Amino acid sequence: MKVHVEVKPKSGVLDPQGNAVLEAMRHFGLEARNCRVGKIIEFEIADGTIRREEIENKLHEVSRDLLSNPVIEDYKLQIEG
Amino acid sequence: MKVHVEVKPKSGVLDPQGNAVLEAMRHFGLEARNCRVGKIIEFEIADGTIRREEIENKLHEVSRDLLSNPVIEDYKLQIEG
Amino acid sequence: MQVGYRSIARLAVVQFPGSNCDMDCVWAINSLLGLKAKLVWHKETKLSDFDGVVLPGGFSYGDYLRPGAIARFSPIMDAVRDFAEEGKPVLGICNGFQILCEAGLLPGALVRNRSLRFVCDRVWLKVENKKTIFTSRFGEVDVIRLPIAHGDGCYYADEATLGQLEKEGRVVFRYVNRDGVADVASNPNGSCNNIAGILNEKGNVLGLMPHPERAVFENLGLTYGRLIFNSIVDYFLSDEYRWS
Amino acid sequence: MELGLEREQKEPKVTPEVVTRHGLTLEEYELICKILGREPNFTELGVFSVMWSEHCSYKNSKAELRKFPTGGKHVLVRAGDENAGVVDVGNGWAVAFKVESHNHPSAVEPFQGAATGVGGIIRDIFTMGARPVFLLNSLRFGPIEGDSEVARNNRRLFAGVVAGISHYGNCIGLPTIGGEVYFDESYNGNPLVNVFCLGILRHEQIAKGAAKGEGNPVFYVGSETGRDGLAGAAFASRELTEESKQDRPAVQVGDPFREKLLMEACLELLASGCVAGIQDMGAAGLTCSTCETASRGNSGVEIELALVPQREVGMTPYEILLSESQERMLVIVHKGQEEKVKQIFEKWDLPYAQIGKVTSDGFMRVLQNGRTVVEIPARALAEDAPVYYREAAKLRPPEPLGIEEIPEVEPHDALLALLSDPSIASKQWVWRQYDHEIRIGSLLLPGSDAAVFLDRESNIVLAASSDCNSTYCRLDPRAGARIAVAESFRNLACTGAVPIGVTDNLNFGNPYKPENFAQLREAIEGIAEVCEFFGVPVTGGNVSLYNESPSGPIDPTPTICSVGRIESEFHIMPAYFSDPGDAIYLLGNILDRKCPSHGFGGSHYLKRLFGQKRGTPPRLDLEAERRLYLLLEELASIRCLNSAHDCSEGGLAVALAEAWLLMPEEVRCGVHISLPDIAPPHILLFNEGQTRVIVSVPKDKEKYVLFKAEEIGVPALKLGHLLPEDDHLSISIGSRIWKWKRQELQSAYFDTIPNLMER
Ligand SMILES: Nc1ncnc2c1ncn2[C@@H]1O[C@H](COP(=O)(O)OP(=O)(O)O)[C@@H](O)[C@H]1O
Ligand SMILES: [Mg+2]
């Protein structure tokens, strides 16, 4: 089972990286806006050991408590297979 | 036009963050493997100023030269709208 | 002392937004005989007044995206490239090393420390090649100690590149223990082959993670950094440089 | 007068309930109405609520803070007059320094909370026109040992806070060269994060946070305003509860890169002579900076919100005015210099805007698209917050301990247990994450008694130390506070420095509880007394009240940061032994027979080994303390000592072990001392009697040291020697001898924190 977690700064929260990237893209002659930089975390889990539902709960827990910082970030969890 | 760039460490390149995540997930009772941590960069571009094709070229250029480092990373570019 | 028509060799210390060891480099270099450092703002486009260039440490552009990723597009970098091409000395320290790699002036890349933590310490290094314009003064000195301070100092390159660097003697500094042995315990960041500093093919561009400018003043307890800067002075005095 | 009634977004009505929710009392509301001569609108109410919060107005502590000695011939800017005090250090140079807390934000989001705390204090310093040169940090967390949920959370907070400080300080390029970290139950759920910054400037560079000169333009420079950190000042002035988690918007994200640019731009700007006044936007953001500059300048300020750079759309005046977005400054510019100013901002790629002008009518007036939304007399807002004289309970004096109440533990094990107490163990794990060598001036690396720094620009050598033993303060706040100041000065003296100023961070519980208020008052009086005694001014500080978690208030923690001057770099002494030929002496009494608890009240010995916080804190004799400083100063100036380390937590044995363990590898050797058999070993070794320093003396200087000690009146006792061909610490008392291998002490001292944190 493949897991894919996207973690992005909450809207309204300052994203200093995003600002810097916008600046830099200007060097390329690209005028962009609303740039946000987030993380993706991908990993695999061996199937069959625990029930699907249980795993999903665990994955949400991990995404919220470990992979993201709920105070300033949102996460999106995708499970394949 | 919404742009979405995923940047991930090349396979073979050590990813200490990925390893740390695996380690930490174990404390949550989750046995995972092959964890890789990458970045997503999202931004918007005002339409209409330049031709679509030209923009795409530019976006590839930016993704390759600025948003990722080809020595250690691969990128994936998605354009919406 | 005579360097070309000048009495003193002039080093440009490039100031990117977020550079923060720029003044340290200026203070350190200006305390030494035969060198004079001057700050150069990154929006400048010419380096013709200078004999050598230093890219100092710091967090250019906040290290956003990757260290050095944005700075490499600064206007001054074209001049730095030309400068390197002409065979003049370019020294990249810490963030400067990262910028040189990002700019393709040095091979490989610097990634997150394996510990995922910033590390500030004093480390032992082996001077692996003393026949460079940056290390000619080391003489009998094999193992030295310099300060490091970085979060992304893990040197990475593919096998082929590493092989080539090793074969061509372009690994100039290596993390070792105090007895000069490169082991895992003495590698502060997980660098491939314990690499701390490398040279370009031509031998005039050096990038290193440790901070020689922090080891110039006696009262800080370490002075090995002087040897690097003094080697550069020697190079400017050499026939090789004068007739080049 | 009609205020912004036709605005698109209708504001909530001001009801008694809304007033209370803003943390204002109904009496305070009445006072506001009196000041305005009418009822405030919602935005104005918000403005008053942040300015009259404890964090900005010090309404509960002001009357007490007046007890501090703040003057002196070296004080150029006094506490409270500006963003930070300024003290002369000679040759036309001066230093500006201050400490600031970010406790509540760090409890909610440790990384960003601590990071923005660092950002805030740095702005306070460069606002004064000073170039920041170094940082200290004083941290407290709940215990980090064990596998409980609580311990795990404490480790998470500890790791996050250290990472946050490291992130911000390293990126901006300031060395973090000292500090302290303690772990204690009372900080469970309410960690303390106090950060200190020192900057250096020429006398003529002192910048004022005053809006002067009618018609002078007012500039906004720095990050765009967002909804983050809304009303953080009010947040800091409340107790932390479960609901605090819902206060998450109060958390701000810092951008050290922006701050670095802002710092460079402001220093360049100040040097250009274009600036009439400057003020950072810290707590209470745009509100605070406008009304305070107007109030200090005896003028008014008028700004237009539509011109303020904004990160989000549709922000209300309330939100813009109360936002605590980081990395922003307000600059008042001499008329006619606008172009020069713009050029500097552009050079540094900073967002900026001219948002208003200085007026002469004394009002803070805020417009939105030309319509007045706020109109308040600036002075009343900034200065006329009510001052409260809170009720103080009568504190119960601590019960003295008898010597028979101090259980005996085998010294060998006791020393190991103490060295592996996370509060005593080496904090190397912490400072390795801080760049402590940048600006190439750290003449003593972290791990010494005080940080010692040479500023390369002015060639001035400074020392700084932060201290507070909160267990002492809990038992007796006055005694604890006195010791905090004395320990801090003693730490300075151990490096060869003479104190020139103090900044304090008063971390206490809710002042409305008479017991907490009594602690605050006692501590303030204790600090004042010692500073007065030594003629050292308090040049500023910070008050953080409401440090409580569901289980009660924290132990009172008046953190003292003192700054000292060292005449010459050749006078500097490290804490560690450095020459295998040296003799070891104790300056001060081996046992304080006059102290009812023999220096065991509140000791780490009782706390670590028996889980007890009781007894009377050690006695502090200020006259003896003064003599000790004099002796150290004298001996340092003629280089008679190779090291000096003060005895604090864990007493003589711990201080000795530290001085030995910290020896540089290349000179390592053994040490042997013998103590007079005048009390049981544990009493001799672990009492925390004050005014004691362990020094190492070159053989040929011993006579002179003894002569000087005698002359000045400091007891000096030869304890023993360093042993060249050895690698043990050994202590003998009478016929008994205890021996420790380097390895066992070393791993207790250096590995404890990494082992706890890296698993
Ligand atoms: N958070 C920290 N950051 C940097 N240095 C620290 C920190 N905590 C402790 N230190 C350093 O560790 C040493 C010992 O600190 P501490 O135990 O408080 O000593 P003392 O009791 O002598 O005041 C000091 O040099 C201090 O500056
Ligand atoms: Mg201390």
Side-chain angles (χ1 to χ4, degrees), chain D residues 7-332:
Chain D
R7 244 176 312 111
E8 309 79 36
Q9 298 118 323
K10 258 257 171 107
E11 286 188 328
K13 258 202 148 60
V14 176
T15 63
E17 204 250 312
V18 169
V19 171
T20 333
R21 202 150 35 80
H22 275 79
L24 292 165
T25 64
L26 294 178
E27 295 77 61
E28 284 168 347
Y29 182 72
E30 258 156 43
L31 187 58
I32 293 170
C33 295
K34 216 165 101 198
I35 288 170
L36 292 176
R38 59 179 165 84
E39 305 219 321
N41 63 28
F42 183 72
T43 305
E44 289 172 328
L45 184 75
V47 163
F48 269 103
S49 80
V50 288
M51 286 309 297
W52 286 12
S53 69
E54 181 64 32
H55 195 87
C56 291
S57 73
Y58 295 95
K59 59 188 170 191
N60 291 304
S61 49
K62 211 175 203 166
E64 298 300 323
L65 294 175
R66 290 192 188 118
K67 295 173 179 165
F68 286 143
T70 56
K73 62 177 191 297
H74 298 298
V75 177
L76 303 178
V77 174
R78 269 180 187 248
D81 288 354
E82 293 282 346
N83 291 288
V86 179
V87 182
D88 178 27
V89 288
N91 297 335
W93 292 95
V95 289
F97 55 87
K98 196 177 169 210
V99 62
E100 182 78 69
S101 64
H102 238 208
N103 303 339
H104 285 189
S106 304
V108 176
E109 209 314 271
F111 183 93
Q112 294 297 346
T116 51
V118 174
I121 191 64
I122 295 172
R123 277 195 302 285
D124 269 334
I125 299 307
F126 71 76
T127 302
M128 295 306 301
R131 169 164 292 277
V133 294
F134 67 78
L135 304 167
L136 306 179
N137 62 118
S138 166
L139 314 176
R140 323 261 146 170
F141 304 92
I144 55 170
E145 290 169 297
D147 263 328
S148 67
E149 188 63 37
V150 176
R152 242 180 301 163
N153 191 44
N154 290 332
R155 287 198 290 270
R156 180 185 67 87
L157 291 170
F158 177 35
V161 164
V162 170
I165 293 172
S166 149
H167 164 71
Y168 209 103
N170 297 349
C171 180
I172 200 166
L174 287 177
T176 304
I177 55 173
E180 46 179 353
V181 188
Y182 286 91
F183 304 93
D184 183 277
E185 270 95 25
S186 86
Y187 305 110
N188 274 333
N190 194 327
L192 300 186
V193 177
N194 296 174
V195 264
F196 164 101
C197 180
L198 177 140
I200 198 147
L201 71 167
R202 306 280 313 161
H203 288 190
E204 64 274 13
Q205 285 172 335
I206 297 175
K208 295 281 157 81
K212 286 227 158 89
E214 189 182 352
N216 274 342
V218 173
F219 278 81
Y220 170 115
V221 59
S223 292
E224 298 85 353
T225 298
R227 288 196 176 93
D228 49 347
L230 264 192
F235 175 55
S237 309
R238 275 200 303 274
E239 283 177 34
L240 277 176
T241 58
E242 253 316 293
E243 288 85 72
S244 301
K245 302 233 172 80
Q246 308 310 316
D247 279 333
R248 276 171 180 164
V251 172
Q252 312 125 25
V253 170
D255 183 354
F257 171 58
R258 262 281 162 75
E259 176 116 328
K260 165 78 174 160
L261 302 185
L262 193 59
M263 173 171 88
E264 297 299 341
C266 287
L267 291 173
E268 192 172 327
L269 199 64
L270 286 163
S272 74
C274 301
V275 176
I278 185 164
Q279 166 98 40
D280 66 309
M281 295 187 213
L286 198 49
T287 293
C288 182
S289 56
T290 45
C291 73
E292 280 193 354
T293 48
S295 169
R296 287 200 199 106
N298 271 324
S299 61
V301 165
E302 181 178 303
I303 58 170
E304 168 56 74
L305 294 182
L307 298 172
V308 170
Q310 290 164 45
R311 207 171 67 230
E312 295 176 72
V313 287
M315 290 182 70
T316 64
Y318 182 94
E319 290 171 327
I320 299 172
L321 283 170
L322 268 57
S323 158
E324 291 190 4
S325 290
Q326 298 288 298
E327 291 95 23
R328 305 178 299 162
M329 303 284 285
L330 195 77
V331 186
I332 293 122

Side-chain angles (χ1 to χ4, degrees), chain D residues 179-180 182 449 465-468 487 491 649:
Chain D
E180 46 179 353
Y182 286 91
D449 281 39
S465 168
S466 85
D467 295 277
C468 179
E487 188 187 337
N491 282 172
E649 287 88 4

